[in-house]
């Protein structure tokens, strides 16, 4: 199949953005365009980002997805992807998210990196990533698919901004120095009951390597990570479904914990809504 033309990419981006605004999913893009190429998928993602920019949404970082064997198995892929984090996606530790603004959210624990220096280039070693980090914090990413029933292939989730929806960082910051990221573990509880456990070493061998992969991948798109960016390097365990009145807590031991709840408020959707 030939690459999609600009009008088709723009039309699919509008479709995905409307699906997000209205919390109403669409059929898989890969069912309609069987030969989607990587440039098509990231091109559609970039078009959605342009729509957001026109509404005043500001990019505050990046997320890496499909980094652990558990998440790759869940999505049936063998390659990571990346998506954009926007200011309107960020929640505060302890917040409650309105499920009526989402479609079928799932929760992933991550260790967030906030950069103090720019990172760019085709090859970035873990030591360079470590040197660029200002601070780290426990985090939860809420992924949500604008594709119906999570019937996604790799190209679907890339086009859909890495299935990103919301994220929250813990209210305490920690130095990255002296942290054994490969051995760092996390326990996820839902309503006080353990539902997932993971070791950050399952994130491409180390979340530092995940960020290195991201920098290399971004360089092929002419993009760099900037000082101040939040980077979510990926989850070490399978995402957990969220439902009304659920409260999730991810405990990273000495690096603290982060909490997020879910409720239904009956929020009215619109094409220019600001996620909350």
């Amino acid at each position: 199949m030939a690459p999609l033309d600009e009008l088709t990419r723009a039309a699919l981006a509008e479709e995905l953005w409307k699906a997000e605004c209205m919390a109403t999913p669409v059929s898989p893009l890969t069912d309609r365009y069987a030969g989607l190429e990587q440039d098509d998928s990231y091109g559609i993602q970039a078009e959605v980002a342009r729509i957001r920019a026109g509404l005043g949404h500001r990019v505050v970082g990046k997320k890496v997805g499909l980094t652990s064997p558990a998440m790759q198995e869940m999505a049936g892929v063998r390659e990571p992807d990346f998506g954009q984090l926007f200011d309107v996606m960020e929640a505060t530790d302890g917040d409650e998210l309105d499920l009526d603004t989402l479609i079928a959210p799932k929760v992933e624990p991550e260790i967030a990196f906030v950069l103090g220096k720019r990172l760019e280039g085709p090859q970035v070693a873990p030591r360079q990533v470590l040197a660029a980090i200002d601070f780290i914090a426990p985090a939860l990413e809420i992924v949500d698919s604008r594709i119906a029933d999570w019937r996604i292939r790799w190209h679907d989730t890339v086009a859909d901004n890495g299935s990103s929806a919301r994220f929250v960082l813990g209210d305490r910051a920690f130095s990255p120095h002296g942290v054994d990221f490969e051995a760092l573990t996390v326990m996820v509880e839902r309503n006080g009951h353990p539902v997932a456990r993971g070791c950050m070493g399952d994130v491409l061998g180390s979340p530092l390597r995940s960020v290195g992969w991201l920098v290399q991948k971004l360089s092929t798109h002419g993009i760099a990570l900037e000082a101040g960016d939040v980077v979510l390097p990926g989850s070490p365990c399978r995402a957990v479904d969220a439902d009304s009145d659920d409260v999730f807590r991810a405990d990273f031991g000495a690096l603290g914990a982060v909490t997020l709840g879910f409720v239904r408020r009956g929020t009215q959707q619109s094409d220019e809504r600001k996620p909350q």
Side-chain angles (χ1 to χ4, degrees):
M1 174 180 168
L4 299 180
D5 58 55
E6 291 185 8
L7 287 177
T8 303
R9 287 184 182 183
L12 291 174
E14 289 279 358
E15 183 179 343
L16 287 170
W17 177 240
K18 183 176 181 179
E20 179 166 356
C21 292
M22 304 304 294
T24 303
V26 300
S27 63
L29 307 189
T30 50
D31 282 358
R32 293 177 272 162
Y33 300 91
L36 275 179
E37 298 181 0
Q38 186 168 139
D39 285 348
D40 292 324
S41 303
Y42 279 116
I44 294 167
Q45 180 185 128
E47 287 291 336
V48 176
R50 276 190 277 274
I51 294 171
R52 283 183 171 276
L55 296 172
H57 298 187
R58 182 172 57 88
V59 175
V60 294
K62 301 286 187 290
K63 58 79 56 89
V64 187
L66 306 175
T67 53
S68 69
M71 289 304 297
Q72 290 184 357
E73 179 184 355
M74 189 176 82
V77 302
R78 290 293 178 266
E79 179 181 351
D81 67 351
F82 73 82
Q84 318 281 337
L85 298 178
F86 292 88
D87 56 348
V88 293
M89 293 179 175
E90 187 168 8
T92 300
D93 192 4
D95 272 358
E96 291 181 331
L97 297 184
D98 185 354
L99 279 169
D100 289 312
T101 67
L102 300 164
I103 298 172
K106 300 175 184 286
V107 177
E108 299 178 353
E110 309 203 19
I111 191 74
F113 298 152
V114 180
L115 301 185
K117 299 178 182 178
R118 196 171 198 256
L119 273 175
E120 62 179 333
Q123 290 186 326
V124 176
R127 61 179 173 77
Q128 293 172 291
V129 173
L130 183 62
I133 298 170
D134 184 15
F135 65 88
I136 63 176
L140 289 171
E141 183 186 2
I142 294 77
V143 292
D144 194 20
S145 183
R146 274 59 66 173
I147 306 300
D149 304 318
W150 280 95
R151 291 185 288 116
I152 56 172
R153 297 183 176 92
W154 186 88
H155 291 285
D156 293 300
T157 191
V158 169
D160 191 24
N161 197 30
S163 301
S164 57
R166 308 285 190 276
F167 69 96
V168 56
L169 273 57
D171 60 7
R172 292 183 60 197
F174 296 85
S175 168
H177 300 290
V179 176
D180 186 347
F181 288 103
E182 294 182 17
L184 180 63
T185 60
V186 58
M187 168 70 78
V188 181
E189 295 180 348
R190 179 175 58 198
N191 305 325
H193 302 286
V195 289
R197 182 193 300 269
C199 176
M200 299 309 294
D202 285 334
V203 177
L204 295 185
S206 164
L208 297 176
R209 293 191 181 94
S210 177
V211 177
W213 174 90
L214 173 63
V215 175
Q216 184 276 329
K217 191 69 175 180
L218 290 174
S219 72
T220 67
H221 295 264
I223 304 172
L225 292 177
E226 303 293 345
D229 276 355
V230 176
V231 181
L232 300 180
S235 172
C237 50
R238 293 175 70 89
V240 181
D241 292 340
D243 206 344
S244 184
D245 299 322
D246 280 345
V247 176
F248 286 84
R249 182 176 187 270
D251 189 338
F252 287 82
L255 294 182
V258 59
T259 303
L260 195 65
F262 294 84
V263 296
R264 289 198 182 277
R265 299 193 183 109
T267 301
Q268 181 68 35
Q269 301 292 324
S270 74
D271 284 348
E272 296 187 2
R273 70 170 175 83
K274 180 175 179 177
Q276 56 182 329

